[in-house]
Amino acid sequence: GLYAGITHTHRFATGSSGLPAVLLYIGDNTMSFFINIIIAIVISIVATAILTYFLSLKFEKTEEENEAAPTVQVKQGGTTICKVPVKGIIKPIELADDAAFAAKAMGDGLAIDPEETTVTAPFDGTIAALFPTKHAIGLVSEQGAEVLIDIGIDTVDLNGEHFTAFVKQGDQVKAGQKLVEFDQKKIKEAGYSTQTMFV
């Protein structure tokens, strides 16, 4: 608009707006206004593209951020926002394949059918317990919330086989930090479910 104004670009007839309207800038045996309106349109397209690109760097989230783990609230000691510790299909704990967890014998929570094999810290806190079998890990948040992550059903019988721990009891952890990795394929081949409980 500024360029068109500076160059005194104007139409020779009235009509609707839009790209077909550029023909209305032809007249008085001159093409200068037609050329100037084309230049103004190109300026607007280029300026918009550049602004969109730079604003996207500031405001658009990355794919990884867009696919960030869902969160849940735990009200214990104080409210703690927990990230779900492993990506997968989330179900209410009542639908867990493990009867004890489904009955909430260990507390309320979620059952997760994992799509990935890395378990991460759900919040900033402390490793309160790491089972020698590495299949289960207890954490306490900075606000005092206590959670248990139990990987697989009856996988305690594997005695730590197919599990790798990256932390130890007493460690301070940050939300999203890698805690345990498990070999889902080998665990299933051994006849165990990898459904993970988060209570």
Side-chain angles (χ1 to χ4, degrees), residues 19-35:
L19 285 176
V22 297
L23 299 176
L24 301 175
Y25 292 85
I26 300 172
D28 271 356
N29 297 319
T30 179
M31 294 291 286
S32 62
F33 298 139
F34 175 76
I35 293 168

Side-chain angles (χ1 to χ4, degrees), residues 44-181:
S44 70
I45 291 170
V46 171
T48 302
I50 291 170
L51 285 171
T52 301
Y53 173 74
F54 283 108
L55 290 173
S56 74
L57 295 179
K58 183 174 182 179
F59 295 108
E60 286 292 318
K61 294 182 178 179
T62 63
E63 184 176 336
E64 184 176 324
E65 288 172 327
N66 283 328
E67 294 179 359
T71 59
V72 292
Q73 284 189 8
V74 176
K75 293 183 178 179
Q76 184 181 11
T79 300
T80 301
I81 303 297
C82 301
K83 292 184 177 180
V84 175
V86 62
K87 186 177 178 183
I89 299 168
I90 300 169
K91 304 175 181 178
I93 197 70
E94 296 88 347
L95 299 180
D97 296 335
D98 184 300
F101 281 101
K104 298 188 180 181
M106 301 292 290
D108 202 0
L110 306 170
I112 307 163
D113 292 324
E115 296 171 348
E116 293 183 351
T117 58
T118 300
V119 176
T120 59
F123 46 60
D124 295 349
T126 306
I127 304 297
L130 176 63
F131 286 62
T133 54
K134 304 171 198 164
H135 82 289
I137 187 165
L139 299 98
V140 179
S141 77
E142 293 175 345
Q143 292 78 26
E146 299 175 7
V147 300
L148 173 69
I149 304 167
D150 189 289
I151 308 161
I153 298 174
D154 296 328
T155 49
V156 63
D157 298 338
L158 292 172
N159 293 314
E161 194 174 355
H162 314 311
F163 292 89
T164 305
F166 297 91
V167 291
K168 61 184 183 305
Q169 189 167 326
D171 282 358
Q172 298 292 314
V173 295
K174 293 288 184 186
Q177 181 177 332
K178 186 192 295 186
L179 304 177
V180 176
E181 278 189 350

